[in-house]
Amino acid sequence: MVRANGAVSLRELARVVQTSEVTVRRDVRALEAEGLLDRRHGGAVLPGGFTRESGFPQKSLSATAEKTAIADLAAGLVDEGEAIVVGAGTTTQELARRLARVPGLTVVTNSLLVAQALAHANRVEVVMTGGTLRGSNYALVGSGAEQSLQGLRVSRAFLSGSGLTAERGLSTSNMLSASVDRALVQAAAEVVVLADHTKLGADTMFQTVPTDVITRLVTDEPPAHDERASTELQALADQGVQITVAGVPVSPSAAAQAPASSAESEKVRPQRREMPLPGQRRTRGGAGPGPARLGPAGGLEPGTAPGPGGSMERVARMADLRRR
């Protein structure tokens, strides 16, 4: 699977081979010891994956459930009549499919896949950048794309990438893509990064968005064993990034191993958690109260969320009210 796709998550491997992530993680360690692959924070890649960029077919098969959940939450951040920019990527493509239902929206993008997802949305205006087509990810890059973004101003930019760390922020493996992403960021008042847990702690060649420019991260819950992803989330929260965590539905194999009550509760659990505290930072350069603390599995530590009992629902309501 790694040879075919370039990268694969432990969750996906466990689903395909119908075993637990614990077993898969042990086998991945053994394969890494033989030099057949490299482990990467909740997944595995081909050796030398630090500089290697997977093509679109490979990326589209990685962490599909996580990307879907992230796109669902990110779409809820967009209001009617907004003007936004959306970068290239498989997660942003999923977001675009959901934006087709937002009336009066204007979307500026360099991604052919994002534009295609919105092509038949009657109430959404799509503005394409110029540039040279980069076939590996169906994106327009180069000076033409960057020049077409000069003088543009929108409310938000939604971007993805190859890796995200608290030290360097969002990064990608391709220089041309990084340059266009930086131009997209310059056009936006707020920057929202969409990154699943496999990208947390991964560091690739070209920085696109420094951490202090990222307004919000929309991600999924890291597995309990993935300490590096959880640590990275805490570090990002400490630097003022608002973090929205999407719940991912339990796979059939995982549900079969879990108690019935646990599996059922997962299906109805609100699929949104906010950290750090609302109002900490909404736009670049803003300041506010200190961040909430993340627990060892990536969740908030007891008592750090505001409201009775540290309710995540109240955090989400406050964020929504403030956004309105």
Side-chain angles (χ1 to χ4, degrees):
M1 287 182 66
V2 173
R3 284 173 179 163
N5 301 327
V8 67
S9 69
L10 293 180
R11 186 175 292 169
E12 183 70 8
L13 281 172
R15 184 188 66 80
V16 170
V17 302
Q18 297 184 342
T19 187
S20 69
E21 289 188 30
V22 174
T23 300
V24 168
R25 188 162 62 254
R26 180 195 63 203
D27 293 342
V28 165
R29 267 199 212 99
L31 292 170
E32 183 183 45
E34 296 178 26
L36 298 176
L37 50 76
D38 289 342
R39 286 188 296 157
R40 283 289 184 276
H41 329 305
V45 299
L46 288 175
F50 183 85
T51 58
R52 182 184 185 276
E53 182 181 37
S54 302
F56 173 79
Q58 291 77 26
K59 291 180 180 178
S60 64
L61 295 174
S62 174
T64 53
E66 290 86 346
K67 291 174 182 176
T68 298
I70 289 168
D72 286 339
L73 280 190
L77 301 174
V78 181
D79 298 323
E80 294 184 13
E82 259 194 284
I84 62 175
V85 295
V86 179
T90 53
T91 312
T92 52
Q93 181 189 24
E94 287 295 325
L95 169 64
R97 290 176 178 141
R98 289 147 181 82
L99 295 179
R101 300 187 292 267
V102 182
L105 189 65
T106 300
V107 177
V108 181
T109 185
N110 69 319
S111 169
L112 299 187
L113 297 174
V114 168
Q116 182 184 42
L118 295 168
H120 300 293
N122 295 329
R123 298 177 293 178
V124 178
E125 181 179 1
V126 180
V127 180
M128 295 287 298
T129 68
T132 303
L133 177 63
R134 184 167 180 260
S136 61
N137 64 345
Y138 301 93
L140 297 170
V141 298
S143 59
E146 295 170 40
Q147 289 172 12
S148 66
L149 293 166
Q150 292 180 2
L152 181 71
R153 193 63 173 169
V154 298
S155 58
R156 291 185 183 90
F158 291 87
L159 297 175
S160 187
S162 302
L164 178 64
T165 66
E167 181 181 359
R168 291 186 69 218
L170 191 66
S171 61
T172 186
S173 302
N174 182 266
M175 180 173 62
L176 294 175
S177 295
S179 187
V180 174
D181 281 353
R182 285 193 287 268
L184 291 172
V185 167
Q186 290 299 316
E190 298 183 5
V191 178
V192 180
V193 170
L194 313 181
D196 63 78
H197 72 271
T198 63
K199 297 177 181 178
L200 297 176
D203 195 7
T204 51
M205 289 184 69
F206 301 99
Q207 182 192 58
T208 57
V209 189
T211 305
D212 61 357
V213 176
I214 299 173
T215 309
R216 182 188 295 268
L217 165 65
V218 184
T219 187
D220 61 292
E221 186 83 34
H225 61 79
D226 194 346
E227 295 182 5
R228 183 161 185 174
S230 298
T231 300
E232 209 66 54
L233 273 182
Q234 178 63 68
L236 288 163
D238 287 343
Q239 294 200 34
V241 178
Q242 294 184 7
I243 300 174
T244 303
V245 179
V248 179
V250 177
S251 65
S253 60
Q257 296 177 25
S261 58
S262 172
E264 287 301 317
S265 65
E266 183 69 25
K267 295 176 184 177
V268 299
R269 186 179 302 160
Q271 299 212 336
R272 173 172 175 156
R273 291 198 294 109
E274 296 277 353
M275 57 195 102
L277 303 182
Q280 181 177 347
R281 189 176 73 202
R282 294 294 298 174
T283 57
R284 293 189 216 171
R293 302 297 298 178
L294 292 172
L300 283 174
E301 290 182 353
T304 59
S311 168
M312 287 299 98
E313 289 79 6
R314 184 169 183 269
V315 177
R317 285 200 302 273
M318 291 174 65
D320 290 337
L321 287 172
R322 195 176 66 258
R323 194 167 58 246
R324 292 179 191 142

